[in-house]
């Protein structure tokens, strides 16, 4: 299995999940500006979408989209994604929220052409979204319960961007969660492997 990634990009979520599930994999670094792999291949010939993450699975098929990759990893490591019952649907619901409401709201912050007003507006939206995710912890250490799951891997990446990249202040609950996540071996290892520890 091969994960196409860029250091600190949303592909970090699948990287953490693969580590947390002890799933053997190789990683291929992608230059997102040049659209080339570290081996100098044209990344668009591998993934016409041109963005990360992408996961080449055992039969050579290429899976794309964070929700699909995290669900796939969860199917291989059920402790990361409850396989049935209401917890399964809640996990899918939370992944969708993180992808479409949190992740996408960062777009103006990553766009060098955004004005300061657009960036401020994006931060305001994000603060509202983070306020909505906080109760989903429901007093538990992780979104997945007592141990991390795929939702935590993805939420961590958005908090990492908010705090480390864009200097946003996290609420005490989310700041505590962020520190707890950072101490997880799967997270620490992934940050180290991506050279952003
Ligand atoms: N819809 C995609 C979006 C992935 C995405 O936003 N990837 C970013 C990195 S976090 C990227 O590769 N951006 C470079 C580009 O779009 O050219 C998914 O959910 O997987």
């Amino acid at each position: 299995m091969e994960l196409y990634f860029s250091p600190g990009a949303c592909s970090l979520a699948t990287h953490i999940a693969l580590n947390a599930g002890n799933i053997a994999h190789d990683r291929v670094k992608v230059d997102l500006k040049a659209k080339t792999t570290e081996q100098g291949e044209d990344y668009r010939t591998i993934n016409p979408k041109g963005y990360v993450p992408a996961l080449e699975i055992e039969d050579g098929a290429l899976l794309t989209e964070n929700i699909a990759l995290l669900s796939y990893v969860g199917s291989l490591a059920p402790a990361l994604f409850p396989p049935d019952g209401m917890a399964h649907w809640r996990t899918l619901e939370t992944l969708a929220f993180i992808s479409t409401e949190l992740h996408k709201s960062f777009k103006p912050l990553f766009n060098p052409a955004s004005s300061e007003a657009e960036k401020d507006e994006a931060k305001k939206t994000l603060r509202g979204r983070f306020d909505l995710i906080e109760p989903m912890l429901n007093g538990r250490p992780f979104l997945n319960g007592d141990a991390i799951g795929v939702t935590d891997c993805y939420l961590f990446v958005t908090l990492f961007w908010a705090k480390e990249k864009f200097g946003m202040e996290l609420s005490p609950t989310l700041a505590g969660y962020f520190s707890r996540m950072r101490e997880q071996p799967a997270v620490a290892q992934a940050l180290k492997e991506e050279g952003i520890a």
Side-chain angles (χ1 to χ4, degrees):
M1 197 182 309
E2 247 173 7
L3 174 67
Y4 290 88
F5 81 104
S6 173
C10 52
S11 42
L12 175 60
T14 298
H15 183 180
I16 296 170
L18 287 166
N19 286 353
N22 285 315
I23 298 167
H25 64 280
D26 295 318
R27 285 177 301 279
V28 178
K29 190 150 80 173
V30 177
D31 180 332
L32 289 173
K33 281 206 179 85
K35 304 289 178 204
T36 51
T37 67
E38 57 191 320
Q39 288 87 15
E41 298 157 291
D42 177 353
Y43 181 54
R44 284 207 181 92
T45 63
I46 297 162
N47 176 11
K49 290 175 174 171
Y51 50 69
V52 292
L55 190 66
E56 193 178 308
I57 53 181
E58 299 312 341
D59 61 2
L62 192 81
L63 260 188
T64 60
E65 304 301 323
N66 282 292
I67 296 178
L69 267 59
L70 291 166
S71 301
Y72 179 76
V73 173
S75 74
L76 302 179
L80 302 178
F81 194 142
D84 44 39
M86 197 57 200
H88 176 81
W89 303 115
R90 285 281 172 241
T91 300
L92 194 54
E93 179 184 45
T94 307
L95 281 180
F97 180 79
I98 297 170
S99 175
T100 63
E101 303 298 333
L102 263 173
H103 178 175
K104 278 297 147 195
S105 300
F106 277 90
K107 210 164 182 173
L109 297 178
F110 280 111
N111 182 357
S114 297
S115 65
E116 283 312 306
E118 286 165 332
K119 289 182 188 168
D120 287 348
E121 192 55 36
K123 286 185 178 175
K124 197 173 146 204
T125 302
L126 280 164
R127 275 192 287 274
R129 302 282 195 255
F130 283 128
D131 284 349
L132 288 170
I133 204 119
E134 200 173 304
M136 296 181 202
L137 280 167
N138 213 4
R140 302 164 309 168
F142 303 103
L143 288 170
N144 192 51
D146 289 330
I148 74 168
V150 292
T151 46
D152 297 290
C153 301
Y154 202 178
L155 177 59
F156 174 78
V157 173
T158 64
L159 291 171
F160 186 82
W161 292 339
K163 183 171 187 293
E164 310 276 319
K165 227 173 159 53
F166 301 114
M168 289 176 64
E169 201 177 319
L170 305 181
S171 71
T173 301
L174 287 182
Y177 170 84
F178 183 74
S179 308
R180 203 154 49 244
M181 278 300 290
R182 222 180 166 140
E183 285 162 10
Q184 293 296 302
V187 175
Q189 189 190 335
L191 291 174
K192 195 165 162 220
E193 286 166 342
E194 295 200 6
I196 48 174

